[in-house]
Amino acid sequence: MAAPRPSKHLKSEQITWINDWILNQPSVPSLADICEALLSRFAIQRSPDSIRHRPEIKRALTARREAEKSGRPSTTPRLTSRRMAQLEQKIVRLSAEILDLQKQRDALIESNLRMTNAMKAHGIPARQMERPLAPVNRDRTELPKRNKP
């Protein structure tokens, strides 16, 4: 019996299985471990270099590393001075963003008050001020007609 001819490219089912296998491992597997799993499951022999460049496998390994990092308990009970500085910078940035949003809100309120006062000054009734906006036709295949039947 002849050995099965290895395929040059991995199929999508095989890549999906590899991704699931990577994510279900207790720790981040090495590229050699992935090659061994491919060999044992599908009888496909690949070098670690050929697997390293697959974007799907890169994403799975990155996700597994991130999951491992986030799952670790903190070893230091206190925050380091560097982390405190980062958090203080983030607080300053968010405070500045809050002030900017408050300024935008105040400008919108002032603009709306000016428009309301201008409409009252020109004698536009309140029911017309509060009416819903007309829908905008964004479908250019149906052009508006002047004399609709």
Side-chain angles (χ1 to χ4, degrees):
M1 181 166 122
R5 186 172 174 219
S7 63
K8 189 171 184 178
H9 301 288
L10 294 173
K11 296 178 183 171
S12 62
E13 305 90 34
Q14 294 166 342
I15 292 173
T16 304
W17 181 84
I18 293 170
N19 289 341
D20 293 340
W21 182 83
I22 290 170
L23 295 175
N24 291 329
Q25 293 300 305
S27 63
V28 179
S30 67
L31 293 173
D33 294 338
I34 297 171
C35 291
E36 288 174 17
L38 258 176
L39 185 61
S40 66
R41 170 76 175 168
F42 298 108
I44 296 174
Q45 189 169 9
R46 290 282 183 264
S47 68
D49 288 333
S50 66
I51 293 199
R52 175 181 302 142
H53 300 293
R54 297 295 305 222
E56 304 91 354
I57 295 174
K58 281 183 183 179
R59 283 192 297 267
L61 285 171
T62 304
R64 184 66 191 100
R65 284 188 196 105
E66 293 298 322
E68 189 173 282
K69 285 180 186 176
S70 65
R72 284 189 209 151
S74 177
T75 56
T76 59
R78 297 183 325 219
L79 293 174
T80 61
S81 59
R82 179 178 174 206
R83 181 67 179 147
M84 284 297 290
Q86 288 175 345
L87 291 173
E88 287 173 357
Q89 287 176 350
K90 187 174 183 178
I91 289 171
V92 168
R93 182 180 54 80
L94 290 174
S95 299
E97 191 174 329
I98 288 171
L99 288 174
D100 184 47
L101 289 172
Q102 287 174 344
K103 287 179 185 177
Q104 288 178 9
R105 181 202 61 201
D106 293 342
L108 284 173
I109 289 173
E110 185 178 342
S111 172
N112 286 343
L113 286 173
R114 283 185 186 152
M115 284 194 282
T116 303
N117 288 336
M119 290 177 87
K120 285 181 183 176
H122 290 299
I124 299 172
R127 69 176 187 281
Q128 195 171 3
M129 283 192 281
E130 296 174 4
R131 68 180 166 84
L133 295 174
V136 176
N137 180 13
R138 298 197 187 283
D139 183 14
R140 295 292 177 201
T141 59
E142 183 180 330
L143 297 174
K145 298 177 184 173
R146 292 183 187 249
N147 300 326
K148 291 187 178 179

PDB file of all heavy atoms in Angstrom, residues 20-32:
ATOM      1  N   ASP A  20      -9.151  25.238  16.875  1.00  0.00           N
ATOM      2  CA  ASP A  20      -9.842  24.733  18.060  1.00  0.00           C
ATOM      3  C   ASP A  20      -8.879  24.007  18.986  1.00  0.00           C
ATOM      4  O   ASP A  20      -8.960  24.141  20.208  1.00  0.00           O
ATOM      5  CB  ASP A  20     -10.989  23.803  17.656  1.00  0.00           C
ATOM      6  CG  ASP A  20     -12.102  24.532  16.948  1.00  0.00           C
ATOM      7  OD1 ASP A  20     -12.179  25.774  17.101  1.00  0.00           O
ATOM      8  OD2 ASP A  20     -12.888  23.874  16.245  1.00  0.00           O
ATOM      9  N   TRP A  21      -7.975  23.230  18.412  1.00  0.00           N
ATOM     10  CA  TRP A  21      -7.003  22.490  19.208  1.00  0.00           C
ATOM     11  C   TRP A  21      -6.101  23.449  19.976  1.00  0.00           C
ATOM     12  O   TRP A  21      -5.812  23.239  21.152  1.00  0.00           O
ATOM     13  CB  TRP A  21      -6.178  21.581  18.284  1.00  0.00           C
ATOM     14  CG  TRP A  21      -5.185  20.741  19.013  1.00  0.00           C
ATOM     15  CD1 TRP A  21      -5.408  19.550  19.630  1.00  0.00           C
ATOM     16  CD2 TRP A  21      -3.799  21.033  19.201  1.00  0.00           C
ATOM     17  NE1 TRP A  21      -4.257  19.080  20.186  1.00  0.00           N
ATOM     18  CE2 TRP A  21      -3.249  19.979  19.931  1.00  0.00           C
ATOM     19  CE3 TRP A  21      -2.980  22.082  18.817  1.00  0.00           C
ATOM     20  CZ2 TRP A  21      -1.908  19.938  20.297  1.00  0.00           C
ATOM     21  CZ3 TRP A  21      -1.650  22.050  19.174  1.00  0.00           C
ATOM     22  CH2 TRP A  21      -1.117  20.982  19.904  1.00  0.00           C
ATOM     23  N   ILE A  22      -5.653  24.516  19.316  1.00  0.00           N
ATOM     24  CA  ILE A  22      -4.788  25.508  19.960  1.00  0.00           C
ATOM     25  C   ILE A  22      -5.525  26.161  21.131  1.00  0.00           C
ATOM     26  O   ILE A  22      -4.986  26.303  22.228  1.00  0.00           O
ATOM     27  CB  ILE A  22      -4.319  26.575  18.951  1.00  0.00           C
ATOM     28  CG1 ILE A  22      -3.334  25.975  17.961  1.00  0.00           C
ATOM     29  CG2 ILE A  22      -3.691  27.772  19.657  1.00  0.00           C
ATOM     30  CD1 ILE A  22      -2.994  26.880  16.790  1.00  0.00           C
ATOM     31  N   LEU A  23      -6.785  26.553  20.903  1.00  0.00           N
ATOM     32  CA  LEU A  23      -7.533  27.257  21.943  1.00  0.00           C
ATOM     33  C   LEU A  23      -7.893  26.351  23.114  1.00  0.00           C
ATOM     34  O   LEU A  23      -8.090  26.831  24.232  1.00  0.00           O
ATOM     35  CB  LEU A  23      -8.794  27.876  21.343  1.00  0.00           C
ATOM     36  CG  LEU A  23      -8.534  28.974  20.305  1.00  0.00           C
ATOM     37  CD1 LEU A  23      -9.834  29.431  19.692  1.00  0.00           C
ATOM     38  CD2 LEU A  23      -7.795  30.132  20.924  1.00  0.00           C
ATOM     39  N   ASN A  24      -7.971  25.033  22.898  1.00  0.00           N
ATOM     40  CA  ASN A  24      -8.333  24.111  23.969  1.00  0.00           C
ATOM     41  C   ASN A  24      -7.140  23.585  24.748  1.00  0.00           C
ATOM     42  O   ASN A  24      -7.326  22.833  25.699  1.00  0.00           O
ATOM     43  CB  ASN A  24      -9.134  22.929  23.400  1.00  0.00           C
ATOM     44  CG  ASN A  24     -10.494  23.363  22.928  1.00  0.00           C
ATOM     45  OD1 ASN A  24     -11.076  24.295  23.470  1.00  0.00           O
ATOM     46  ND2 ASN A  24     -11.001  22.706  21.905  1.00  0.00           N
ATOM     47  N   GLN A  25      -5.936  23.965  24.374  1.00  0.00           N
ATOM     48  CA  GLN A  25      -4.750  23.491  25.085  1.00  0.00           C
ATOM     49  C   GLN A  25      -4.622  24.221  26.424  1.00  0.00           C
ATOM     50  O   GLN A  25      -5.011  25.386  26.555  1.00  0.00           O
ATOM     51  CB  GLN A  25      -3.495  23.732  24.247  1.00  0.00           C
ATOM     52  CG  GLN A  25      -3.442  22.901  22.996  1.00  0.00           C
ATOM     53  CD  GLN A  25      -3.470  21.420  23.307  1.00  0.00           C
ATOM     54  OE1 GLN A  25      -2.662  20.921  24.064  1.00  0.00           O
ATOM     55  NE2 GLN A  25      -4.430  20.739  22.726  1.00  0.00           N
ATOM     56  N   PRO A  26      -4.072  23.541  27.445  1.00  0.00           N
ATOM     57  CA  PRO A  26      -3.922  24.192  28.751  1.00  0.00           C
ATOM     58  C   PRO A  26      -2.901  25.330  28.743  1.00  0.00           C
ATOM     59  O   PRO A  26      -3.007  26.267  29.523  1.00  0.00           O
ATOM     60  CB  PRO A  26      -3.473  23.061  29.670  1.00  0.00           C
ATOM     61  CG  PRO A  26      -2.975  21.985  28.780  1.00  0.00           C
ATOM     62  CD  PRO A  26      -3.667  22.143  27.467  1.00  0.00           C
ATOM     63  N   SER A  27      -1.910  25.256  27.856  1.00  0.00           N
ATOM     64  CA  SER A  27      -0.945  26.343  27.706  1.00  0.00           C
ATOM     65  C   SER A  27      -0.735  26.583  26.218  1.00  0.00           C
ATOM     66  O   SER A  27      -1.207  25.828  25.379  1.00  0.00           O
ATOM     67  CB  SER A  27       0.380  25.977  28.384  1.00  0.00           C
ATOM     68  OG  SER A  27       0.932  24.848  27.744  1.00  0.00           O
ATOM     69  N   VAL A  28      -0.013  27.630  25.902  1.00  0.00           N
ATOM     70  CA  VAL A  28       0.206  27.979  24.497  1.00  0.00           C
ATOM     71  C   VAL A  28       1.112  26.920  23.866  1.00  0.00           C
ATOM     72  O   VAL A  28       2.232  26.710  24.322  1.00  0.00           O
ATOM     73  CB  VAL A  28       0.859  29.373  24.362  1.00  0.00           C
ATOM     74  CG1 VAL A  28       1.092  29.720  22.908  1.00  0.00           C
ATOM     75  CG2 VAL A  28       0.011  30.424  25.024  1.00  0.00           C
ATOM     76  N   PRO A  29       0.632  26.231  22.835  1.00  0.00           N
ATOM     77  CA  PRO A  29       1.464  25.195  22.212  1.00  0.00           C
ATOM     78  C   PRO A  29       2.540  25.804  21.322  1.00  0.00           C
ATOM     79  O   PRO A  29       2.374  26.887  20.770  1.00  0.00           O
ATOM     80  CB  PRO A  29       0.470  24.389  21.389  1.00  0.00           C
ATOM     81  CG  PRO A  29      -0.620  25.339  21.081  1.00  0.00           C
ATOM     82  CD  PRO A  29      -0.701  26.277  22.243  1.00  0.00           C
ATOM     83  N   SER A  30       3.639  25.075  21.195  1.00  0.00           N
ATOM     84  CA  SER A  30       4.695  25.526  20.300  1.00  0.00           C
ATOM     85  C   SER A  30       4.336  25.114  18.875  1.00  0.00           C
ATOM     86  O   SER A  30       3.422  24.320  18.641  1.00  0.00           O
ATOM     87  CB  SER A  30       6.037  24.910  20.710  1.00  0.00           C
ATOM     88  OG  SER A  30       5.992  23.518  20.498  1.00  0.00           O
ATOM     89  N   LEU A  31       5.071  25.651  17.919  1.00  0.00           N
ATOM     90  CA  LEU A  31       4.827  25.295  16.524  1.00  0.00           C
ATOM     91  C   LEU A  31       5.132  23.815  16.281  1.00  0.00           C
ATOM     92  O   LEU A  31       4.467  23.160  15.484  1.00  0.00           O
ATOM     93  CB  LEU A  31       5.652  26.181  15.606  1.00  0.00           C
ATOM     94  CG  LEU A  31       5.247  27.660  15.599  1.00  0.00           C
ATOM     95  CD1 LEU A  31       6.234  28.482  14.791  1.00  0.00           C
ATOM     96  CD2 LEU A  31       3.856  27.823  15.043  1.00  0.00           C
ATOM     97  N   ALA A  32       6.125  23.278  16.993  1.00  0.00           N
ATOM     98  CA  ALA A  32       6.435  21.852  16.857  1.00  0.00           C
ATOM     99  C   ALA A  32       5.278  21.006  17.370  1.00  0.00           C
ATOM    100  O   ALA A  32       4.949  19.969  16.787  1.00  0.00           O
ATOM    101  CB  ALA A  32       7.720  21.528  17.612  1.00  0.00           C
TER     102      ALA A  32
END
